[in-house]
């Protein structure tokens, strides 16, 4: 698969940290193995996964940052986006940037883009949605997508729409996204987010998000 062309100013990297890995207590290893039903990986295995994902991140990760900027009209390329492959009982998380290796390196490519989307939304203040001030993104997103939505569903609607639109431009990733969506079907909050994206259309959801960001920035003056 050819790498996307990178541009100066954008960096997305996936790494392995021996300090992070060895700092986890034995109780964490036991909890992770019990939760995921997998053998606990060793440092050599984690390094190989990180190397594979880093190659993907250097190409598609950077391309996704550029796509995010064009799609939503906000920034993302000024920052360096670093993620670490580490068995984490809480799962993958955009902050502080943990990729939990519970799937094949190929399927974890979508995890990279998923957590990168969360990271970029965070950088653009999308997760100030819990605040009660008038005109917040919480108000705007709920008005567009459903007043009854949980926090998890609400924050995943734009993530899934962005992924769907990006993959439409890069169809070689479609099977990976479809497998990722199938995995989320077992999680009601994620499944509901995908349902909204399907019903409204990923392009329309991205337009919603762009307009909401514009309204937020105008409101701030």
């Amino acid at each position: 698969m050819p790498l996307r062309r990178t541009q100066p100013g954008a960096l997305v990297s996936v790494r392995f940290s021996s300090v992070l890995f060895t700092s986890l207590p034995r109780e964490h290893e036991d909890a992770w193995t019990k939760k995921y039903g997998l053998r606990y990986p060793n440092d050599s295995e984690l390094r190989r996964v990180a190397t594979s994902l880093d190659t993907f991140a250097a190409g598609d990760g950077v391309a996704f940052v550029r796509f995010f900027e064009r799609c939503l009209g906000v920034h993302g390329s000024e920052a360096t986006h670093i993620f670490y492959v580490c068995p984490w009982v809480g799962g993958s998380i955009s902050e502080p940037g943990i990729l939990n290796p519970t799937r094949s390196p190929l399927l974890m490519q979508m995890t990279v883009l998923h957590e990168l989307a969360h990271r970029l939304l965070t950088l653009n203040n999308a997760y100030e949605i819990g605040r009660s001030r008038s005109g917040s993104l919480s108000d705007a997103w709920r008005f567009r997508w459903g007043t009854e939505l949980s926090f998890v569903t609400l924050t995943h609607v734009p993530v899934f729409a962005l992924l769907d639109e990006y993959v439409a431009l890069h169809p070689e990733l479609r099977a990976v996204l479809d497998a990722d969506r199938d995995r989320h079907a077992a999680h009601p909050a994620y499944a509901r987010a995908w349902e909204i994206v399907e019903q409204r259309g990923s392009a329309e959801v991205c337009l919603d998000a762009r307009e909401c960001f514009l309204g937020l920035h105008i409101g701030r003056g």
Side-chain angles (χ1 to χ4, degrees), residues 19-40:
V19 173
L20 175 61
F21 181 58
T22 58
S23 69
L24 298 173
R26 179 54 188 264
E27 292 78 11
H28 179 274
E29 178 179 339
D30 295 338
W32 188 92
T33 301
K34 180 178 180 180
K35 179 177 180 178
Y36 296 105
L38 299 171
R39 180 181 57 80
Y40 201 70

Side-chain angles (χ1 to χ4, degrees), residues 62-194:
V62 171
F64 186 81
V65 173
R66 301 298 182 185
F67 165 79
F68 178 93
E69 293 178 317
R70 295 193 306 271
C71 188
L72 299 190
V74 291
H75 71 86
S77 62
E78 292 86 350
T80 297
H81 307 286
I82 300 175
F83 297 89
Y84 295 92
V85 174
C86 184
W88 201 256
V89 73
S92 297
I93 185 169
S94 60
E95 299 293 345
I98 302 295
L99 303 176
N100 188 33
T102 58
R103 312 164 70 199
S104 71
L106 179 62
L107 293 180
M108 283 196 66
Q109 290 177 356
M110 203 52 57
T111 303
V112 173
L113 298 184
H114 182 129
E115 299 306 334
L116 180 57
H118 280 304
R119 171 77 63 82
L120 293 168
L121 288 168
T122 301
L123 286 175
N124 286 278
N125 303 306
Y127 296 156
E128 291 185 2
I129 63 175
R131 299 184 181 181
S132 60
R133 65 182 176 81
S134 177
S136 69
L137 278 176
S138 176
D139 295 334
W141 285 3
R142 291 184 192 279
F143 177 78
R144 304 262 181 153
W145 305 327
T147 57
E148 82 291 351
L149 299 182
S150 68
F151 176 84
V152 173
T153 295
L154 194 66
T155 55
H156 280 86
V157 170
V159 169
F160 292 154
L162 285 162
L163 294 177
D164 196 52
E165 284 295 288
Y166 180 77
V167 168
L169 299 175
H170 306 291
E172 70 276 9
L173 294 173
R174 174 57 62 184
V176 183
L177 180 59
D178 287 346
D180 194 60
R181 180 175 180 174
D182 289 344
R183 180 176 68 97
H184 287 148
H187 193 304
Y190 289 0
R192 177 66 178 128
W194 268 119

